[in-house]
Amino acid sequence: MVDIEEEIRSLQLDSAEENNGVINLEDGKPEFDKSDEMDEDPKQDVQPQPVHADEPKVKDKETPHVQDEKDDLEMKKRHVNVVFIGHVDAGKSTTGGQILFLSGQVDERTIQKYEKEAKDKSRESWYMAYIMDTNEEERAKGKTVEVGRAHFETEKTRFTILDAPGHKSYVPNMISGASQADIGVLVISARKGEFETGYEKGGQTREHVQLAKTLGVAKLLVVVNKMDEPTVQWSKERYSEIESKMIPFLKQSGYNVKKDVQFLPISGLNGANLQTRLDKSICPWWDGPCLFEALDSVELPERDPTAPFRMPIIDKFKDMGTVVMGKVESGTVREGDSLWVMPNKHPVKVVAIFIDEDRVKRAGPGENLRIRLSGVEEEDILSGFVLSCIESPIPAVTEFVAQLQILELLDNAIFTAGYKAILHIHSIVEECEIVELLHQIDPKTRKPMKKKVLFVKSGAGIVCRVQVINTICIETFSCFPQLGRFTLRTEGKTVAVGKVTKI
């Protein structure tokens, strides 16, 4: 049996010298992680739930005030997309709900209503999660299913929270949330036994970390939650134990722990160390920042507002026309712009642009938008389509060349031409087939080997041709990393991660 962690480490040696032994996905080099075994329902991969858009839609009779042109992109607060990830029951939704309450997005009366509702269901500790988990199935089971979406602000930054599901059956939805995020908040439960369950083989703590890195979440805040729990009681020993176990795994998953990862203790249920720093009487050993401060201080790479416009569509609905939702991955969009909906080259005009509840005249990269379009019907748009500028449209293909890192194949199978899997790339979920293996990657030199190869096993690196049934919109990783990195999953398990090298 191949030791996959050793294989991955050897693959990383050549390009990791300047980065503390860690490959940085943003520099155009591949990012390869070892995934853990899961026994999920294979159907979940083919039909992911739509991204949950619980933001109020603009009412027909109201036209919000359009912000003045002088309210320029550079003058606004920066905008950051934060995805909450981690094992089921770690406290992601509760922490997200508490953040919204502390930042004034939810009033006291609403909290009291949720508290009563949770008490009636004999689930007193779930009431904060009800802010993020809005449908009855989620509240009844205490599990997030869809990607919850909410907004809050600090003095420096506007944040969009993406609350990803932690249950292994909903990993495709977690992938959808993480693909829209700039930074991740990994929520870990400090309660005795709960950290171990999430971290051991089969737990979602591991897979979420690996998927987040592959999907482009470059910065990670690791919050050790439930520190107020009776089995923990703000114990420094427990906090240090979790930190010491997580650091080697984060390094192996490709994170530069010194530069891109920050640990901090919190209690999501009572709000400790979220908006204000911990009182020494509660936790005498912690003198670091609170979560709001840590989020404000995260540095993000510069985005180019002059690049060709790209916005993958994650959802659509009717509201005085056709409205599409998505995150701007590149470029700038303005009211009145003529665009194409790719891959169909359907010409559309931008009628209105909304950031949160505000109508704006233009928006740049990194913004989560709702755009009202004319010239297209809602039924002519699918999730995974891309709004694109006409001058330099996004390529639409049915076949591409990719560099893959095989993680762990099911039942120790072989990877060869004819291998089928589910492709996840930005908001696309498509069935794909490997049609040809071109080169195997030498694990020592990281260069293609000359000898032709017919099959490879778990742990191998490979350059191959991938084919999909329907036309999809993608970019090469070197040009647009966010639209050129992907995962392959089969029967509910991530079997490979990779990047598009040629279209």
Side-chain angles (χ1 to χ4, degrees):
M1 180 69 187
V2 178
D3 185 332
I4 299 168
E5 295 196 10
E6 283 299 323
E7 286 287 326
I8 294 170
R9 276 197 290 275
S10 67
L11 281 171
Q12 293 174 339
L13 285 176
D14 281 1
S15 56
E17 289 175 1
E18 303 101 39
N19 204 9
N20 293 341
V22 181
I23 295 176
N24 183 358
L25 198 58
E26 301 311 317
D27 65 9
K29 293 189 174 70
E31 194 87 19
F32 299 134
D33 322 313
K34 174 182 177 289
S35 187
D36 290 302
E37 201 164 328
M38 302 188 307
D39 40 8
E40 299 165 25
D41 181 355
K43 295 173 189 165
Q44 292 288 351
D45 267 326
V46 186
Q47 296 291 342
Q49 298 278 343
V51 171
H52 182 45
D54 58 358
E55 321 170 302
K57 297 168 187 175
V58 179
K59 294 175 185 168
D60 289 8
K61 294 178 184 175
E62 297 177 12
T63 304
H65 168 66
V66 180
Q67 293 185 8
D68 294 335
E69 191 68 49
K70 69 178 181 181
D71 188 8
D72 208 358
L73 296 177
E74 290 73 28
M75 291 168 63
K76 292 180 184 175
K77 290 181 180 180
R78 71 170 188 161
H79 176 251
V80 177
N81 298 284
V82 184
V83 65
F84 279 69
I85 58 174
H87 193 67
V88 64
D89 286 338
K92 296 182 295 299
S93 298
T94 296
T95 303
Q98 185 69 258
I99 286 170
L100 295 180
F101 174 58
L102 291 171
S103 59
Q105 305 300 308
V106 183
D107 60 35
E108 189 70 48
R109 179 180 281 182
T110 305
I111 292 292
Q112 288 169 359
K113 186 186 89 171
Y114 290 156
E115 205 163 356
K116 182 179 183 303
E117 192 179 324
K119 201 168 186 177
D120 291 345
K121 293 177 180 174
S122 300
R123 293 286 188 267
E124 288 90 340
S125 65
W126 288 5
Y127 72 97
M128 274 293 174
Y130 284 8
I131 299 169
M132 295 300 298
D133 291 343
T134 54
N135 71 40
E136 274 310 309
E137 180 193 356
E138 292 179 320
R139 290 183 178 183
K141 293 181 178 177
K143 289 177 185 172
T144 303
V145 175
E146 299 174 350
V147 177
R149 184 188 298 273
H151 311 277
F152 77 100
E153 292 189 22
T154 62
E155 286 184 15
K156 298 179 183 176
T157 315
R158 290 181 302 114
F159 290 98
T160 296
I161 295 178
L162 301 158
D163 179 28
H167 196 275
K168 60 186 177 182
S169 298
Y170 305 114
V171 168
N173 296 353
M174 176 268 166
I175 290 173
S176 171
S179 68
Q180 303 163 52
D182 303 304
I183 63 177
V185 175
L186 173 64
V187 184
I188 290 175
S189 171
R191 180 183 282 159
K192 197 169 183 178
E194 285 190 5
F195 163 68
E196 287 73 12
T197 303
Y199 181 70
E200 297 306 324
K201 198 171 176 70
Q204 297 318 110
T205 301
R206 282 172 170 263
E207 188 178 27
H208 278 201
V209 167
Q210 292 161 332
L211 286 172
K213 188 59 176 166
T214 305
L215 293 162
V217 179
K219 308 279 185 175
L220 208 59
L221 295 178
V222 182
V223 297
V224 181
N225 189 26
K226 306 188 186 181
M227 288 294 292
D228 59 327
E229 214 270 333
T231 64
V232 184
Q233 295 184 328
W234 297 99
S235 160
K236 185 179 182 182
E237 288 70 30
R238 179 60 167 164
Y239 176 84
S240 299
E241 178 194 357
I242 291 169
E243 190 177 37
S244 65
K245 286 184 178 176
M246 285 302 300
I247 284 174
F249 177 69
L250 290 165
K251 283 182 178 176
Q252 182 241 315
S253 297
Y255 280 100
N256 181 335
V257 176
K258 287 183 180 175
K259 199 170 80 173
D260 298 331
V261 177
Q262 186 173 359
F263 285 79
L264 60 160
I266 66 162
S267 167
L269 187 60
N270 66 31
N273 210 34
L274 294 186
Q275 192 178 35
T276 55
R277 292 194 176 199
L278 277 170
D279 193 292
K280 291 290 181 187
S281 63
I282 298 172
C283 185
W285 52 268
W286 178 255
D287 58 1
C290 63
L291 182 59
F292 279 32
E293 290 173 329
L295 286 167
D296 259 342
S297 66
V298 172
E299 291 182 12
L300 297 176
E302 289 295 315
R303 301 177 174 121
D304 183 5
T306 64
F309 182 69
R310 304 278 187 268
M311 189 184 95
I313 294 167
I314 57 172
D315 206 359
K316 69 332 172 38
F317 55 87
K318 283 185 178 176
D319 179 23
M320 296 169 64
T322 300
V323 178
V324 295
M325 293 175 57
K327 176 190 169 189
V328 180
E329 295 293 357
S330 168
T332 301
V333 64
R334 294 170 179 80
E335 254 186 37
D337 276 0
S338 295
L339 301 171
W340 273 349
V341 176
M342 295 292 287
N344 297 341
K345 290 190 177 177
H346 201 124
V348 293
K349 190 162 188 178
V350 177
V351 177
I353 304 167
F354 299 92
I355 296 175
D356 302 346
E357 300 315 306
D358 298 321
R359 183 171 173 178
V360 296
K361 289 193 174 181
R362 65 172 183 165
E367 294 286 0
N368 279 303
L369 305 181
R370 284 173 292 130
I371 300 180
R372 184 176 290 131
L373 302 171
S374 64
V376 67
E377 293 300 317
E378 182 212 6
E379 52 267 25
D380 295 328
I381 296 175
L382 298 174
S383 290
F385 281 15
V386 178
L387 264 186
S388 173
C389 59
I390 295 169
E391 304 77 31
S392 178
I394 188 170
V397 302
T398 55
E399 197 174 291
F400 59 93
V401 176
Q403 184 174 322
L404 275 180
Q405 177 67 29
I406 314 300
L407 300 174
E408 194 171 353
L409 300 169
L410 294 179
D411 303 319
N412 209 22
I414 60 169
F415 189 87
T416 184
Y419 189 92
K420 292 185 169 78
I422 306 299
L423 170 76
H424 292 260
I425 184 165
H426 62 84
S427 55
I428 294 168
V429 183
E430 273 286 339
E431 290 189 34
C432 73
E433 181 178 342
I434 307 303
V435 289
E436 185 184 3
L437 303 189
L438 300 174
H439 307 284
Q440 187 168 357
I441 304 292
D442 188 317
K444 292 179 181 174
T445 65
R446 296 185 53 79
K447 292 178 181 176
M449 297 158 70
K450 289 181 181 177
K451 187 181 173 184
K452 186 79 174 172
V453 64
L454 295 177
F455 68 90
V456 293
K457 293 188 176 182
S458 296
I462 193 81
V463 177
C464 58
R465 281 197 303 121
V466 184
Q467 195 174 72
V468 289
I469 299 167
N470 299 307
T471 305
I472 61 172
C473 296
I474 58 174
E475 294 273 9
T476 59
F477 180 84
S478 57
C479 293
F480 288 86
Q482 208 64 26
L483 303 175
R485 54 165 76 88
F486 63 89
T487 61
L488 293 184
R489 289 172 58 80
T490 184
E491 295 185 31
K493 181 180 173 183
T494 303
V495 293
V497 294
K499 62 177 186 177
V500 178
T501 55
K502 189 177 178 185
I503 292 173

